[in-house]
Amino acid sequence: MIFKKEVWITPYECQRTLHIYVPDDAIDHEERYPVLYMYDGHNLFDDKEATYGKSWGLKDYLDFHNEKIIVIGMECNHEGNNRLIEYCPYSFVDRQFGSIQGTGKQMMEWVVHELKPLIDQELPTKTDRANTWIAGSSMGGLMSLYTITHHNDTFSKAACLSPFLYPIRNEMKKECERRLDPDTSIYLSWGSNETRSKRSMAYMSKTNLDMANLLYRQQIQLYLNLVVGGQHCEACWEKEIPVFMQFFKQ
């Protein structure tokens, strides 16, 4: 089942909506479940609420496959460049977006130190690191990679779909050099049709492979997925759900 919950986002001093998935039988059983925290929660379940009119269809997948997990979808601020600000851990200047003063670190710390304790208190979660996961796409993919490298003591698995890396690639390389627990699983993907030119695709691929090479040195479990024909959209990311979910179970 899906339900919504309003929470206070301390770094931004505002209320924000959580989109939460809980297995239908959770109320009638004493079972506890792994938790998948996901950025851009409004895009996960309902086409009517998705930014571009198409969601990941995540509920349909979880129900059909009888996946016993809790999903916590976190909304972001959609106005102007606020999503870039909230979901970027560093500041940067870009020709298209201008000057972005990133507050992603503050957002991540709120997830770890305020949101997770709240969820663990109110829902039947498995609270340990092995059962605490993070995922997202685009800016959410960047934040997922940043979160698992920065708080590897809290998260054991991350799905980073089409991460928006290029303006802060050097900073993120340093993050990928952080010491990680060998029992860490990271799914990193990008689509072959996400860019307008072969040159841009080569650059995107090199950026992702640079991150992957640094992660490989940590001897973690890493799944690289160059999705042939994949575009930068929810319809394509939906097709990757079974891939990273199966990877997480290994």
Side-chain angles (χ1 to χ4, degrees), residues 193-237:
N193 290 357
E194 288 195 39
T195 63
R196 296 180 180 179
S197 69
K198 292 181 179 179
R199 181 185 180 91
S200 296
M201 173 47 55
Y203 186 78
M204 176 185 288
S205 297
K206 181 181 184 305
T207 298
N208 284 300
L209 290 172
D210 285 345
M211 305 298 163
N213 286 331
L214 294 170
L215 294 169
Y216 266 130
R217 296 176 189 174
Q218 306 273 4
Q219 297 183 328
I220 67 168
Q221 289 73 51
L222 182 63
Y223 191 123
L224 284 182
N225 189 10
L226 173 56
V227 181
V228 177
Q231 299 177 341
H232 201 83
C233 65
E234 280 70 24
C236 289
W237 296 324

Side-chain angles (χ1 to χ4, degrees), residues 15-85:
Q15 291 282 114
R16 196 72 59 76
T17 302
L18 298 179
H19 300 254
I20 300 175
Y21 173 91
V22 177
D24 289 336
D25 57 1
I27 296 177
D28 301 323
H29 295 78
E30 295 183 358
E31 186 177 355
R32 306 191 78 83
Y33 305 91
V35 185
L36 174 60
Y37 292 86
M38 296 190 70
Y39 295 103
D40 293 313
H42 53 285
N43 287 333
L44 300 178
F45 304 116
D46 190 340
D47 290 351
K48 295 178 182 178
E49 296 181 332
T51 303
Y52 299 106
K54 175 68 182 78
S55 73
W56 287 47
L58 185 55
K59 181 182 185 300
D60 294 337
Y61 173 86
L62 296 174
D63 286 347
F64 182 80
H65 293 277
N66 198 29
E67 294 284 358
K68 300 298 186 180
I69 68 169
I70 291 172
V71 178
I72 308 298
M74 303 167 283
E75 271 201 14
C76 65
N77 188 331
H78 314 283
E79 297 179 2
N81 285 334
N82 283 318
R83 180 170 175 269
L84 282 168
I85 293 170

Side-chain angles (χ1 to χ4, degrees), residues 28-226:
D28 301 323
H29 295 78
E30 295 183 358
E31 186 177 355
R32 306 191 78 83
Y33 305 91
V35 185
L36 174 60
Y37 292 86
M38 296 190 70
Y39 295 103
D40 293 313
H42 53 285
N43 287 333
L44 300 178
F45 304 116
D46 190 340
D47 290 351
K48 295 178 182 178
E49 296 181 332
T51 303
Y52 299 106
K54 175 68 182 78
S55 73
W56 287 47
L58 185 55
K59 181 182 185 300
D60 294 337
Y61 173 86
L62 296 174
D63 286 347
F64 182 80
H65 293 277
N66 198 29
E67 294 284 358
K68 300 298 186 180
I69 68 169
I70 291 172
V71 178
I72 308 298
M74 303 167 283
E75 271 201 14
C76 65
N77 188 331
H78 314 283
E79 297 179 2
N81 285 334
N82 283 318
R83 180 170 175 269
L84 282 168
I85 293 170
E86 289 187 3
Y87 282 2
C88 188
Y90 296 98
S91 298
F92 66 91
V93 178
D94 178 79
R95 187 179 305 174
Q96 178 181 356
F97 302 111
S99 179
I100 300 297
Q101 303 299 312
T103 62
K105 185 177 189 299
Q106 293 92 314
M107 181 67 182
M108 174 191 66
E109 297 296 345
W110 172 79
V111 172
V112 172
H113 297 297
E114 295 188 48
L115 179 59
K116 184 181 185 303
L118 176 67
I119 295 302
D120 288 340
Q121 179 180 354
E122 296 190 356
L123 295 176
T125 66
K126 292 183 176 180
T127 63
D128 60 308
R129 174 183 177 275
N131 290 289
T132 306
W133 313 336
I134 192 82
S137 59
S138 191
M139 294 301 298
L142 161 63
M143 282 295 291
S144 297
L145 182 60
Y146 179 73
T147 301
I148 199 168
T149 56
H150 235 270
H151 275 288
N152 194 230
D153 56 336
T154 301
F155 297 92
S156 63
K157 306 179 191 300
C160 315
L161 287 71
S162 304
F164 180 79
L165 296 169
Y166 83 87
I168 57 167
R169 57 194 177 280
N170 292 327
E171 291 85 351
M172 286 305 298
K173 285 180 183 179
K174 294 179 181 178
E175 299 296 345
C176 290
E177 292 176 333
R178 286 178 174 269
R179 192 65 180 170
L180 301 177
D181 190 309
D183 187 23
T184 297
S185 299
I186 297 179
Y187 172 89
L188 177 61
S189 72
W190 65 105
S192 66
N193 290 357
E194 288 195 39
T195 63
R196 296 180 180 179
S197 69
K198 292 181 179 179
R199 181 185 180 91
S200 296
M201 173 47 55
Y203 186 78
M204 176 185 288
S205 297
K206 181 181 184 305
T207 298
N208 284 300
L209 290 172
D210 285 345
M211 305 298 163
N213 286 331
L214 294 170
L215 294 169
Y216 266 130
R217 296 176 189 174
Q218 306 273 4
Q219 297 183 328
I220 67 168
Q221 289 73 51
L222 182 63
Y223 191 123
L224 284 182
N225 189 10
L226 173 56

